[in-house]
Short mmCIF file of all heavy atoms in Angstrom, two decimals:
data_model
loop_
_atom_site.label_atom_id
_atom_site.label_comp_id
_atom_site.label_asym_id
_atom_site.label_seq_id
_atom_site.Cartn_x
_atom_site.Cartn_y
_atom_site.Cartn_z
N SER A 431 0.83 -1.20 0.01
CA SER A 431 0.00 0.01 -0.01
C SER A 431 0.88 1.24 0.00
O SER A 431 2.03 1.21 0.44
CB SER A 431 -0.93 0.01 1.21
OG SER A 431 -0.23 0.03 2.40
N GLU A 432 0.31 2.33 -0.50
CA GLU A 432 1.02 3.58 -0.52
C GLU A 432 0.00 4.74 -0.56
O GLU A 432 -0.98 4.67 -1.26
CB GLU A 432 1.92 3.66 -1.76
CG GLU A 432 2.82 4.86 -1.74
CD GLU A 432 3.96 4.74 -2.75
OE1 GLU A 432 4.15 3.69 -3.37
OE2 GLU A 432 4.66 5.76 -2.91
N THR A 433 0.27 5.75 0.24
CA THR A 433 -0.51 6.97 0.21
C THR A 433 0.13 7.91 -0.80
O THR A 433 1.35 8.13 -0.77
CB THR A 433 -0.55 7.65 1.61
OG1 THR A 433 -1.17 6.71 2.51
CG2 THR A 433 -1.36 8.92 1.58
N LEU A 434 -0.71 8.42 -1.71
CA LEU A 434 -0.22 9.25 -2.79
C LEU A 434 -0.96 10.59 -2.81
O LEU A 434 -2.11 10.67 -2.37
CB LEU A 434 -0.43 8.54 -4.12
CG LEU A 434 0.22 7.17 -4.28
CD1 LEU A 434 -0.29 6.49 -5.54
CD2 LEU A 434 1.72 7.35 -4.32
N PRO A 435 -0.35 11.59 -3.41
CA PRO A 435 -1.09 12.86 -3.58
C PRO A 435 -2.23 12.66 -4.57
O PRO A 435 -2.12 11.86 -5.50
CB PRO A 435 -0.03 13.82 -4.13
CG PRO A 435 1.16 13.04 -4.46
CD PRO A 435 1.01 11.67 -3.88
N ARG A 436 -3.29 13.37 -4.37
CA ARG A 436 -4.46 13.27 -5.28
C ARG A 436 -4.19 14.15 -6.51
O ARG A 436 -4.72 15.24 -6.65
CB ARG A 436 -5.72 13.69 -4.56
CG ARG A 436 -6.98 13.40 -5.39
CD ARG A 436 -8.26 13.67 -4.62
NE ARG A 436 -8.38 15.04 -4.19
CZ ARG A 436 -8.99 16.02 -4.89
NH1 ARG A 436 -9.50 15.76 -6.07
NH2 ARG A 436 -9.06 17.24 -4.40
N ARG A 437 -3.29 13.62 -7.35
CA ARG A 437 -2.89 14.30 -8.58
C ARG A 437 -2.81 13.28 -9.71
O ARG A 437 -2.54 12.09 -9.47
CB ARG A 437 -1.52 14.96 -8.40
CG ARG A 437 -1.53 16.11 -7.41
CD ARG A 437 -0.27 16.93 -7.54
NE ARG A 437 0.94 16.14 -7.34
CZ ARG A 437 1.75 16.26 -6.31
NH1 ARG A 437 1.53 17.16 -5.39
NH2 ARG A 437 2.81 15.51 -6.23
N PRO A 438 -3.01 13.69 -10.95
CA PRO A 438 -2.97 12.75 -12.08
C PRO A 438 -1.67 11.97 -12.15
O PRO A 438 -1.68 10.79 -12.53
CB PRO A 438 -3.14 13.65 -13.31
CG PRO A 438 -3.89 14.85 -12.81
CD PRO A 438 -3.41 15.05 -11.40
N GLU A 439 -0.56 12.58 -11.77
CA GLU A 439 0.75 11.89 -11.84
C GLU A 439 0.82 10.67 -10.93
O GLU A 439 1.68 9.81 -11.12
CB GLU A 439 1.88 12.84 -11.44
CG GLU A 439 1.93 14.15 -12.18
CD GLU A 439 1.03 15.21 -11.55
OE1 GLU A 439 1.23 15.58 -10.38
OE2 GLU A 439 0.10 15.64 -12.26
N SER A 440 -0.05 10.59 -9.95
CA SER A 440 -0.03 9.45 -9.02
C SER A 440 -0.43 8.14 -9.69
O SER A 440 -0.11 7.08 -9.17
CB SER A 440 -0.92 9.74 -7.83
OG SER A 440 -0.36 10.78 -7.04
N ALA A 441 -1.07 8.21 -10.81
CA ALA A 441 -1.45 6.98 -11.54
C ALA A 441 -0.20 6.19 -11.92
O ALA A 441 -0.21 4.98 -11.86
CB ALA A 441 -2.29 7.31 -12.78
N GLY A 442 0.88 6.87 -12.30
CA GLY A 442 2.10 6.16 -12.67
C GLY A 442 2.73 5.45 -11.50
O GLY A 442 3.15 4.30 -11.60
N THR A 443 2.72 6.09 -10.32
CA THR A 443 3.24 5.43 -9.11
C THR A 443 2.36 4.26 -8.72
O THR A 443 2.87 3.21 -8.30
CB THR A 443 3.32 6.44 -7.96
OG1 THR A 443 4.08 7.58 -8.37
CG2 THR A 443 3.93 5.85 -6.72
N ALA A 444 1.06 4.42 -8.86
CA ALA A 444 0.13 3.31 -8.56
C ALA A 444 0.34 2.14 -9.47
O ALA A 444 0.33 0.98 -9.03
CB ALA A 444 -1.32 3.82 -8.63
N ARG A 445 0.55 2.40 -10.76
CA ARG A 445 0.84 1.31 -11.70
C ARG A 445 2.10 0.56 -11.31
O ARG A 445 2.14 -0.68 -11.35
CB ARG A 445 0.95 1.84 -13.14
CG ARG A 445 -0.35 2.23 -13.77
CD ARG A 445 -0.21 2.52 -15.23
NE ARG A 445 0.65 3.63 -15.52
CZ ARG A 445 0.29 4.90 -15.58
NH1 ARG A 445 -0.98 5.23 -15.37
NH2 ARG A 445 1.15 5.86 -15.86
N LEU A 446 3.13 1.31 -10.91
CA LEU A 446 4.38 0.66 -10.51
C LEU A 446 4.15 -0.21 -9.27
O LEU A 446 4.68 -1.31 -9.19
CB LEU A 446 5.45 1.74 -10.25
CG LEU A 446 6.81 1.22 -9.80
CD1 LEU A 446 7.41 0.30 -10.88
CD2 LEU A 446 7.72 2.40 -9.50
N LEU A 447 3.40 0.28 -8.30
CA LEU A 447 3.10 -0.48 -7.09
C LEU A 447 2.41 -1.79 -7.45
O LEU A 447 2.76 -2.86 -6.92
CB LEU A 447 2.22 0.35 -6.13
CG LEU A 447 1.88 -0.32 -4.83
CD1 LEU A 447 3.12 -0.41 -3.94
CD2 LEU A 447 0.80 0.48 -4.12
N VAL A 448 1.44 -1.75 -8.34
CA VAL A 448 0.72 -2.94 -8.77
C VAL A 448 1.67 -3.92 -9.45
O VAL A 448 1.70 -5.13 -9.15
CB VAL A 448 -0.47 -2.60 -9.68
CG1 VAL A 448 -1.02 -3.84 -10.38
CG2 VAL A 448 -1.56 -1.89 -8.89
N ARG A 449 2.51 -3.42 -10.36
CA ARG A 449 3.44 -4.27 -11.08
C ARG A 449 4.45 -4.94 -10.13
O ARG A 449 4.77 -6.13 -10.28
CB ARG A 449 4.16 -3.49 -12.17
CG ARG A 449 3.26 -3.13 -13.33
CD ARG A 449 4.04 -2.34 -14.38
NE ARG A 449 3.19 -1.80 -15.40
CZ ARG A 449 2.73 -2.47 -16.44
NH1 ARG A 449 2.99 -3.75 -16.57
NH2 ARG A 449 1.97 -1.87 -17.32
N VAL A 450 4.95 -4.17 -9.16
CA VAL A 450 5.92 -4.74 -8.19
C VAL A 450 5.26 -5.83 -7.38
O VAL A 450 5.84 -6.91 -7.19
CB VAL A 450 6.48 -3.61 -7.28
CG1 VAL A 450 7.18 -4.19 -6.08
CG2 VAL A 450 7.40 -2.70 -8.09
N ALA A 451 4.06 -5.58 -6.88
CA ALA A 451 3.35 -6.57 -6.07
C ALA A 451 3.11 -7.86 -6.89
O ALA A 451 3.38 -8.96 -6.41
CB ALA A 451 2.03 -6.01 -5.56
N LEU A 452 2.63 -7.70 -8.10
CA LEU A 452 2.33 -8.86 -8.92
C LEU A 452 3.60 -9.64 -9.28
O LEU A 452 3.58 -10.87 -9.31
CB LEU A 452 1.55 -8.46 -10.17
CG LEU A 452 0.15 -7.92 -9.87
CD1 LEU A 452 -0.48 -7.32 -11.14
CD2 LEU A 452 -0.73 -8.99 -9.29
N ALA A 453 4.68 -8.94 -9.53
CA ALA A 453 5.95 -9.63 -9.82
C ALA A 453 6.43 -10.40 -8.60
O ALA A 453 6.90 -11.53 -8.71
CB ALA A 453 7.00 -8.62 -10.28
N ALA A 454 6.29 -9.80 -7.41
CA ALA A 454 6.71 -10.47 -6.17
C ALA A 454 5.91 -11.74 -5.95
O ALA A 454 6.44 -12.71 -5.36
CB ALA A 454 6.56 -9.52 -5.00
N TRP A 455 4.67 -11.78 -6.39
CA TRP A 455 3.81 -12.93 -6.20
C TRP A 455 3.81 -13.86 -7.40
O TRP A 455 2.98 -14.79 -7.48
CB TRP A 455 2.39 -12.48 -5.88
CG TRP A 455 2.26 -11.69 -4.62
CD1 TRP A 455 2.98 -11.85 -3.48
CD2 TRP A 455 1.37 -10.60 -4.38
NE1 TRP A 455 2.57 -10.93 -2.53
CE2 TRP A 455 1.60 -10.14 -3.07
CE3 TRP A 455 0.43 -9.94 -5.15
CZ2 TRP A 455 0.90 -9.08 -2.50
CZ3 TRP A 455 -0.30 -8.89 -4.59
CH2 TRP A 455 -0.05 -8.48 -3.28
N ASN A 456 4.66 -13.63 -8.38
CA ASN A 456 4.71 -14.42 -9.63
C ASN A 456 3.34 -14.43 -10.34
O ASN A 456 2.92 -15.50 -10.83
CB ASN A 456 5.21 -15.84 -9.36
CG ASN A 456 6.66 -15.86 -8.99
OD1 ASN A 456 7.46 -15.11 -9.57
ND2 ASN A 456 7.02 -16.67 -8.03
N LEU A 457 2.70 -13.29 -10.34
CA LEU A 457 1.40 -13.16 -11.01
C LEU A 457 1.52 -12.14 -12.15
O LEU A 457 0.64 -11.30 -12.36
CB LEU A 457 0.32 -12.74 -10.03
CG LEU A 457 -0.03 -13.79 -8.96
CD1 LEU A 457 -0.97 -13.19 -7.91
CD2 LEU A 457 -0.62 -15.02 -9.59
N ASP A 458 2.63 -12.23 -12.89
CA ASP A 458 2.91 -11.26 -13.95
C ASP A 458 1.82 -11.24 -15.04
O ASP A 458 1.64 -10.23 -15.73
CB ASP A 458 4.25 -11.54 -14.60
CG ASP A 458 5.40 -11.41 -13.59
OD1 ASP A 458 5.74 -10.26 -13.26
OD2 ASP A 458 5.90 -12.44 -13.16
N ASP A 459 1.09 -12.34 -15.20
CA ASP A 459 0.04 -12.39 -16.18
C ASP A 459 -1.11 -11.39 -15.87
O ASP A 459 -1.89 -11.07 -16.75
CB ASP A 459 -0.53 -13.81 -16.34
CG ASP A 459 -1.07 -14.40 -15.06
OD1 ASP A 459 -0.37 -14.35 -14.05
OD2 ASP A 459 -2.21 -14.92 -15.08
N LEU A 460 -1.15 -10.89 -14.66
CA LEU A 460 -2.18 -9.93 -14.26
C LEU A 460 -1.70 -8.49 -14.37
O LEU A 460 -2.48 -7.54 -14.12
CB LEU A 460 -2.65 -10.19 -12.82
CG LEU A 460 -3.27 -11.56 -12.55
CD1 LEU A 460 -3.58 -11.71 -11.07
CD2 LEU A 460 -4.51 -11.74 -13.42
N ALA A 461 -0.42 -8.29 -14.70
CA ALA A 461 0.18 -6.95 -14.62
C ALA A 461 -0.49 -5.92 -15.52
O ALA A 461 -0.75 -4.79 -15.10
CB ALA A 461 1.67 -7.03 -14.90
N GLU A 462 -0.74 -6.25 -16.77
CA GLU A 462 -1.31 -5.27 -17.69
C GLU A 462 -2.71 -4.85 -17.25
O GLU A 462 -3.03 -3.68 -17.19
CB GLU A 462 -1.33 -5.81 -19.12
CG GLU A 462 0.04 -5.93 -19.73
CD GLU A 462 0.81 -4.61 -19.75
OE1 GLU A 462 0.22 -3.57 -20.10
OE2 GLU A 462 1.98 -4.64 -19.39
N ASP A 463 -3.56 -5.84 -16.94
CA ASP A 463 -4.93 -5.52 -16.48
C ASP A 463 -4.89 -4.78 -15.16
O ASP A 463 -5.62 -3.80 -14.98
CB ASP A 463 -5.77 -6.79 -16.36
CG ASP A 463 -6.11 -7.41 -17.70
OD1 ASP A 463 -5.85 -6.77 -18.75
OD2 ASP A 463 -6.65 -8.54 -17.71
N GLY A 464 -4.02 -5.20 -14.27
CA GLY A 464 -3.93 -4.53 -12.96
C GLY A 464 -3.49 -3.10 -13.08
O GLY A 464 -4.05 -2.21 -12.43
#
C-alpha cells in the first residue's frame, strides 16, 4: 500500500506499485490488466 497525492501523476506510481506486487507474487500475467 502507498498513500499518494491526489494528482494525475499518481497513476504512474500506482501502476508501478501494482506491477511490483504482482511480480513479487509471480502473477505477472495480471500486470497489464492490474
